[in-house]
Amino acid sequence: MAQVSGYPPIIILKDDVDASQGIGQIISNINACEQVVDVLRSTLGPRGMDKLIQGGDGKVTISNDGATILRVLQIVHPAARLLADIAKSQDEEVGDGTTSVVLLAGELLRQAKSFLEDGVHPRVIMSAYRKAYQLIAERLRRIAVDVAPQLSVLMSSERASEADTEAARSILRRCAGTALNSKLIAQYREFFAAIAVDAVLALDADLDLDLIGVKKVNGGSVSDSSLVPGVGFKKTFSYAGFEQQPKKIHRPKILLLNLELELKSEKENAEVRVQSAAAYQQIVDAEWNIIYEKLEKIVATGARVVLSRLAIGDLATQYFADREIFCAGRVPDADLQRVARAVGARVQTTVHDMRIEDALGTCEWFEERQVGAERFNFFTGCKEAKSATILLRGGSEQFLDETERSLHDAIMIVRRTLKYPQLVAGGGAVEMELSKYLREHSRRIQGKAQLLIAAYAKALETIPRTLCENAGFDTTDLMNKLRAKHATSEENQWVGANLETGEPHDCWENYIWEPALIRSNAFAAATEAACTILSVDETLKTETGERDAGAGLVPGHGTGGRHRA
């Protein structure tokens, strides 16, 4: 509703529209974002704690991964939802640093709040933040360590010496180990780092992660997990006759289908009118003739392994078993596509007029074997596209789920390191170095920008500060020591927090490495998220059913209570 002096009010919005605007609305949005940050703060770093979240369906999630926690919490506040979005984008882009990006964005907003309360215009803050990001992005490019020469031996077609290859693998294992250091499986980080590196290096030059399958098998020890150089998937439902099928085949021809191979009953209320028993027999014979014709054409291709996305019934199963052919129906689409790419086959939607040279694929070995309490089908020695399958073992479903998420982060780190081989030290070292650089720069400029760039520098320290807090050390003392180290010499640019002793140490010399892309992407996403939230000075709610949209967090489907911003 708008009103002009001397005239009656003009109705612009409906009565049920709730409008909030001004600096107060910006600060309200910042307060909501701070609640999200407070949830994730204790999960950062090797000494971070895990969150147990029970959803409305009763499913329990145990994780310290920022993107996973925010996804399960189902944030409903429109501004705070931006933090969940940047965590998701960080996870999809680089695979790690999801908690760091949310903490940094929240700290940038917290630093901006005091300036807003003092009357500084949001656009001035946004301009200074973007300038600060440009400065640290350029500084990050200069200090990042290029390891491309060492890693080139892994991507080159020429044969390299064993020592060079092992040195390159060691770099990747250390990067993966840093990512796993803060996970639930940190005590097995060397074991899983080696699996992550071997899985990525098993791929072709394009490093397509769709060719890496992760399968979880309950039971056994975590150390029983293994990497299979090929495609593997859990045995599908089988009809009578599958026991007679071959379980190991050398160099089989493989046919992949997207059609049913079973007799289908008529749909409900279907009606067929016949005049005689002979006519009825013709209908029955036609059904049998159709499926037998399909089976004969499949056998005629010479295929020894037949997989289908749809069902393969008991008739077809026994038919194939009598002819020494392995078959499996209802194969998950993702597994079928991985098999197709690995063995060089094309999924067929009909058995008529097939071009055998295009339809069939092959591999060195097909084998069905027992893994724990499950049966798995494996295709190894694939020539068309290299692939890998990771079999995870563990005692509980929640542990296996978190192990899969942790391994995904490590695999993404290895892949990004190979594509963008510039590294920085972790442990808060790079943030302390960039913070020092921004402070020095801010002293050389005048006006409000000096204070705002210094505020950005202070926000960068939230990462090492939170690492210290979560480890239980004296944060003030350790942060002062880190600032002193970075201020005294350029050689101390990689000094970070030792979370074992509570003292500064050289993180680069202690192999706490991570791709520079993680930090670069985190700084960019956090800056843009903070600027976006600062730019919103009015919120309109147009549906009365969403008047509780000011709520902060809703775990699962509304269980566990509600926090208001």
Side-chain angles (χ1 to χ4, degrees), residues 257 260-262 288-301 306 312-313 315-320 323 325 351:
L257 302 172
E260 292 179 320
L261 294 176
E262 64 176 350
W288 286 83
N289 291 337
I290 289 171
I291 190 170
Y292 272 119
E293 181 185 8
K294 291 179 180 178
L295 297 177
E296 290 169 1
K297 287 183 178 294
I298 291 172
V299 173
T301 63
V306 179
I312 296 180
L315 171 66
T317 301
Q318 186 63 56
Y319 187 93
F320 289 135
R323 290 156 180 80
I325 297 174
V351 295

Side-chain angles (χ1 to χ4, degrees), residues 29 94 118 133 176 184 272 287 489 512 515 559:
N29 289 338
V94 293
D118 291 338
Y133 165 69
L184 193 63
V272 179
E287 291 179 333
S489 173
I512 304 174
T559 61

